Amino acid sequence: MKDDEGLFRALLEAAPDAMVIVDDAGVIGLVNAQTETLFGYTRHELLGQPIEMLIPERFRGHHPLHRHAYTGNQQVRPMGAGLDLYGLRKDGHEFPVEISLSPLETPDGLVVSAAVRDVSERKAAQQRFRALLEAAPDAMVIVDDTGVIRLVNAQTETLFGYTRHELLGQPIEILVPERFRGHHPAYRQGYAGNQQVRPMGAGLDLYGLRKDGHEFPVEISLSPLETPDGLVVSAAVRDVSERKAAEQQVNELALLVQSSHDAILVKTLDGTITFWNAAAEHMYGYTAAEAIGSPVSMLIPAGLDGELSDLLERLGKGEHIEHLDTIRVARDGRGLDVDVTLWPVRSRDDTIIGGCAIVRDIGERRRAERELTRLYEQQRHVALTLQRSLMGTPAQVPRIEAASRYLPATQGAGVGGDWFDLIALADGRIGVLIGDVMGRGLEAAAMMGQLRSAANALARTAMPPAKLLRTLDAIVADLPDQLVTCSYLVMDPDAGEVTICSAGHLPVLIVDGRTVRRLPAPISVPLGVGEIPHEEATITVPSGSTLVFYTDGLIESRGTDIETRLDILATALEDAFDGGLSLEKSTDSVLSSLLPDLEGHDDDVTLLMVRLPATPLATAGTYLTVDPRSVINARRFLSATLQCWDETAGCEDLAGVALLLTSEIVTNAIRHAQGPIRMRVHRTEHDLTVEVTDHSPLQPQPRRASDTDEAGRGLQLVEALADTWGTRATNNGKTVWFTKSLSRS
């Protein structure tokens, strides 16, 4: 019996693990030397003590229950039974352990043998492994040889949308799309039989399945590992959705590049071609094999070498070149009109290594543009010729200095509705017409021609301004959807007066010395509105002053108030006249100030300046009653006036004829008109004019008298002896006048 006990103790001491034998009450009965070493207690300190002294405080409360449960079960429990167990050393340090339990019936009762193994190093190694697993950039999934998931890292949770607890213990097929699950176990078994490392990107199209049912492309690296528990396989899973999308875009881009109708080529900064698409082959005649590796200078015609070096230099600086119109040369020597767009090509480190060019053949477009330009210029020439024909050229008016500019619109056909006219009226008066038919095109030009002809004819009848505009208003009213602005002004240089009527036209400006102001005249609505009368006004103007007429094309500007533009025009006039420029140069100066871009205005422009004579003329006047004796009074007044004026004017040479003609027109006024009668005489440097104004609207008409008629020869005599004569309507009647040229010694 003692021999058996000695053998048992020897075996106990020889065990590699700490051996602790406790009775059914949990009291330690035997320990070996490894127990002393492992826990730090001496054998005497342990014997007779409860087993709980070797258990951490946090587990002691539940341990008696675990002991009683085991004694009731009495099964051998091997090492590594999946329990996280801890021991407690004498110094208070906890450490992980594995424990194998074996029940043993003895004459003294049940005892339990516990083999205790320190697994600190293994746990530390496992912890390091888990840390490495968590630090991996890819999702890591560890499965056993049956395909059950044993370990995953946080990236796996993020990638697939499952929690760790939802994955552990599940078959790996949970992460495989349904359409591949049927074949996946066979693939697993095949890999288990082969057990080779399979790297990422092995050329397989693989897909993962997220918890939400969404499939996504993946790459998987497989690594087999033999463990004490059997074969496990480590799978590193990488989401390649972005890369696949990028590859798809690259493939689509490559397809687009090859199918593009534009030539696309890539070159290095030294000008060597590195890419050449099918359209470049068609355009230039070189195959890709011939072009790639060749210098791009083979496409540059002689004389444009500097352009190539400049483009390469600009590319090297990172500059983009958009739509450069230039010439390139094909293989057969043909010159090509091309549009070139260039941008720099960069390496992965953002270094510029070359340039990409998109080249479009625009030869056909160039030919079409030239043809369109030719047709446009032809049509524009025809339209402007028509407009100028309709507009006419104002005649030179004696004694009046004038300067005018007409600029057709540079956009479209250039045809518009602007017009102006200077008309020499009777007795030294001058009519000035300016108008603008709203709208553009041939219709506006045709309307302008009609109105200009009508206005010119009406003005020559000596029709007053207000009546003339009322007549034009009636013409415009008969035309649908037409509006016209117009201003008619009659100058009387001898009296220093102007009579003006304006139908919606811009105000006339008057320049007196260096002062610019608006002519104070009423402005009514445009012609064509109807029902609103057009009023005229007679205004005294200084001799030598300049009247400025213009159309809206001169002053209108998008985004600028019309009053502001009028102020700018006034300032430009002040500057021009302050500089002492001639009327012609002043006109050009104003145009350049208001229209700095003479090639870019989109409306026709009219500017007219008229300067009144600077030297006042000699005038005289009187009133006569409707009495035959007034004929004698008229002759006496004219004779006395001519004698008072300087004899060097030459008036004495025509006094007899002037007296005779005055007698005739005064006699007609007394016989056929209503009083009072006003007689007015004035002379210029060139002629003498006599006017007789009465209150009868009836116009005198010359007629042929028979031999027996006692009257009817007066106007025939006036027509025969006067240089010019005529009648004009006034607000209250008419004026009959004649002129005789002054003789010069």
Side-chain angles (χ1 to χ4, degrees):
M1 186 68 177
K2 288 183 178 180
D3 292 339
D4 291 340
E5 185 177 347
L7 179 60
F8 175 73
R9 289 183 181 276
L11 290 173
L12 198 67
E13 293 297 331
D17 298 317
M19 300 298 295
V20 181
I21 297 176
V22 298
D23 61 16
D24 56 357
V27 175
I28 300 172
L30 281 174
V31 296
N32 64 354
Q34 284 78 0
T35 303
E36 294 178 288
T37 302
L38 180 60
F39 287 94
Y41 290 98
T42 66
R43 196 181 303 253
H44 298 294
E45 289 176 312
L46 292 173
L47 295 177
Q49 298 297 322
I51 189 63
E52 280 76 19
M53 72 178 296
L54 302 180
I55 296 173
E57 181 72 30
R58 55 197 173 110
F59 300 119
R60 288 180 184 173
H62 298 286
H63 193 261
L65 296 176
H66 295 317
R67 280 194 297 103
H68 293 315
Y70 181 76
T71 57
N73 191 11
Q74 297 186 19
Q75 291 182 347
V76 174
R77 190 182 74 188
M79 287 282 188
L83 300 176
D84 288 332
L85 304 176
Y86 293 88
L88 180 66
R89 290 192 176 96
K90 182 179 179 179
D91 61 7
H93 177 71
E94 289 186 16
F95 60 100
V97 295
E98 282 186 348
I99 301 175
S100 172
L101 299 178
S102 301
L104 180 62
E105 287 289 345
T106 69
D108 297 325
L110 178 68
V111 295
V112 178
S113 170
V116 183
R117 183 178 297 165
D118 184 357
V119 293
S120 297
E121 291 186 2
R122 194 176 76 198
K123 288 287 186 179
Q126 289 178 349
Q127 188 64 33
R128 288 194 295 272
F129 174 73
R130 290 180 183 274
L132 289 172
L133 203 65
E134 293 298 331
D138 299 316
M140 300 299 296
V141 182
I142 311 296
V143 298
D144 61 18
D145 54 358
T146 64
V148 174
I149 300 171
R150 295 303 179 190
L151 279 175
V152 296
N153 63 355
Q155 284 77 3
T156 304
E157 295 179 285
T158 301
L159 181 59
F160 288 94
Y162 291 97
T163 66
R164 198 176 306 244
H165 297 295
E166 289 176 312
L167 291 174
L168 296 179
Q170 297 295 324
I172 189 63
E173 281 75 21
I174 192 176
L175 304 179
V176 177
E178 183 70 31
R179 55 196 174 111
F180 300 121
R181 287 181 185 173
H183 301 286
H184 194 261
Y187 294 145
R188 281 196 294 101
Q189 293 169 5
Y191 181 78
N194 190 10
Q195 295 187 22
Q196 291 182 345
V197 174
R198 190 182 75 188
M200 288 280 189
L204 301 175
D205 288 330
L206 304 176
Y207 293 87
L209 180 67
R210 292 193 174 96
K211 182 179 179 180
D212 61 8
H214 176 71
E215 289 187 18
F216 59 101
V218 295
E219 281 186 347
I220 301 177
S221 171
L222 298 179
S223 301
L225 180 63
E226 288 290 347
T227 70
D229 298 324
L231 177 69
V232 296
V233 177
S234 168
V237 185
R238 181 176 299 165
D239 184 356
V240 292
S241 299
E242 291 186 2
R243 195 183 74 202
K244 288 288 186 181
E247 289 174 355
Q248 180 67 21
Q249 290 179 351
V250 168
N251 292 335
E252 291 175 355
L253 180 60
L255 181 62
L256 287 173
V257 167
Q258 285 300 333
S259 62
S260 172
H261 294 293
D262 296 329
I264 300 177
L265 57 144
V266 180
K267 52 184 172 288
T268 61
L269 289 180
D270 64 0
T272 301
I273 298 172
T274 59
F275 178 81
W276 189 262
N277 74 341
E281 292 186 16
H282 178 74
M283 180 182 295
Y284 291 108
Y286 295 97
T287 66
E290 292 171 325
I292 294 175
S294 300
V296 74
S297 57
M298 69 182 185
L299 309 177
I300 308 299
L304 290 183
D305 297 336
E307 178 188 281
L308 175 60
S309 59
D310 176 64
L311 291 176
L312 291 174
E313 181 180 352
R314 291 167 67 184
L315 282 173
K317 296 177 180 178
E319 184 176 347
H320 292 249
I321 298 99
E322 298 283 345
H323 301 298
L324 171 68
D325 286 357
T326 186
I327 306 295
R328 292 293 180 260
V329 62
R331 182 174 188 172
D332 58 8
R334 289 178 298 112
L336 303 172
D337 288 314
V338 295
D339 174 286
V340 181
T341 295
L342 296 149
W343 67 91
V345 174
R346 300 176 183 270
S347 63
R348 291 183 181 275
D349 62 358
D350 207 36
T351 301
I352 297 173
I353 58 175
C356 182
I358 295 181
V359 185
R360 177 169 296 176
D361 185 347
I362 57 173
E364 193 65 33
R365 191 182 81 191
R366 282 280 181 267
R367 287 187 288 273
E369 286 175 352
R370 287 192 289 269
E371 180 63 19
L372 286 174
T373 300
R374 186 186 68 79
L375 292 174
Y376 171 79
E377 291 299 330
Q378 183 181 36
Q379 293 176 0
R380 180 179 171 85
H381 175 72
V382 170
L384 292 179
T385 300
L386 171 63
Q387 185 180 34
R388 289 192 173 102
S389 175
L390 293 171
M391 188 176 192
T393 302
Q396 293 292 328
V397 178
R399 303 168 52 205
I400 294 296
E401 182 183 0
S404 63
R405 297 290 183 272
Y406 172 73
L407 302 177
T410 57
Q411 310 298 320
V415 181
D418 286 10
W419 91 88
F420 66 94
D421 214 348
L422 288 174
I423 307 165
L425 304 175
D427 58 20
R429 288 177 171 81
I430 300 98
V432 184
L433 271 164
I434 189 165
D436 184 2
V437 178
M438 295 185 185
R440 290 181 56 196
L442 291 175
E443 184 178 358
M447 179 69 179
M448 173 271 291
Q450 296 177 51
L451 292 178
R452 178 186 179 274
S453 299
N456 188 290
L458 292 171
R460 292 183 183 279
T461 66
M463 185 177 288
K467 186 175 182 181
L468 185 145
L469 289 190
R470 284 196 297 271
T471 306
L472 290 182
D473 201 356
I475 296 173
V476 175
D478 291 337
L479 301 173
D481 302 324
Q482 287 288 356
L483 288 177
V484 180
T485 65
C486 183
S487 181
Y488 179 43
L489 179 145
V490 175
M491 297 184 189
D492 188 345
D494 298 341
E497 293 177 346
V498 296
T499 301
I500 183 172
C501 186
S502 177
H505 203 76
L506 293 163
V508 177
L509 301 182
I510 181 169
V511 184
D512 181 13
R514 298 176 181 176
T515 302
V516 179
R517 57 186 174 88
R518 300 182 190 184
L519 200 64
I523 298 177
S524 64
V525 297
L527 304 177
V529 174
E531 298 182 359
I532 298 178
H534 304 291
E535 300 179 5
E536 67 180 40
T538 300
I539 303 159
T540 300
V541 294
S543 60
S545 59
T546 301
L547 298 176
V548 181
F549 305 82
Y550 50 94
T551 55
D552 56 7
L554 179 67
I555 63 170
E556 283 188 349
S557 176
R558 290 187 181 92
T560 306
D561 182 76
I562 192 71
E563 291 295 328
T564 301
R565 294 290 293 176
L566 281 171
D567 292 340
I568 294 173
L569 173 58
T571 301
L573 287 167
E574 290 174 357
D575 294 341
F577 282 83
D578 186 51
L581 301 176
S582 66
L583 209 57
E584 290 288 339
K585 290 184 177 179
S586 295
T587 306
D588 290 333
S589 174
V590 170
L591 277 179
S592 62
S593 296
L594 272 293
L595 300 173
D597 181 14
L598 289 178
E599 299 301 321
H601 56 94
D602 56 5
D603 194 6
D604 45 351
V605 176
T606 298
L607 176 61
L608 171 65
M609 296 189 188
V610 181
R611 180 170 289 163
L612 277 69
T615 305
L617 305 176
T619 61
T622 187
Y623 284 92
L624 306 170
T625 60
V626 183
D627 188 314
R629 288 175 294 183
S630 292
V631 176
I632 298 174
N633 294 335
R635 291 172 62 90
R636 288 174 179 171
F637 172 75
L638 177 59
S639 178
T641 299
L642 295 179
Q643 289 177 5
C644 289
W645 289 345
D646 185 6
E647 293 183 357
T648 59
C651 295
E652 68 278 3
D653 296 335
L654 52 81
V657 175
L659 290 172
L660 175 61
L661 298 179
T662 299
S663 297
E664 293 298 328
I665 61 176
V666 171
T667 299
N668 274 345
I670 292 172
R671 286 183 176 180
H672 304 291
Q674 302 171 7
I677 299 170
R678 181 172 180 262
M679 178 178 173
R680 185 164 170 259
V681 184
H682 61 89
R683 68 172 177 85
T684 68
E685 294 180 358
H686 307 284
D687 51 43
L688 173 73
T689 301
V690 177
E691 300 176 354
V692 175
T693 301
D694 59 50
H695 283 199
S696 172
L698 299 176
Q699 301 290 324
Q701 299 292 332
R703 62 183 179 86
R704 183 177 297 278
S706 64
D707 294 338
T708 58
D709 287 340
E710 296 182 0
R713 298 182 178 83
L715 290 182
Q716 292 182 3
L717 188 63
V718 172
E719 195 170 47
L721 298 180
D723 292 328
T724 58
W725 79 281
T727 65
R728 68 172 183 275
T730 64
N731 289 335
N732 299 316
K734 65 178 180 297
T735 296
V736 182
W737 55 270
F738 70 84
T739 62
K740 287 293 293 181
S741 296
L742 298 175
S743 61
R744 289 293 181 184
S745 57

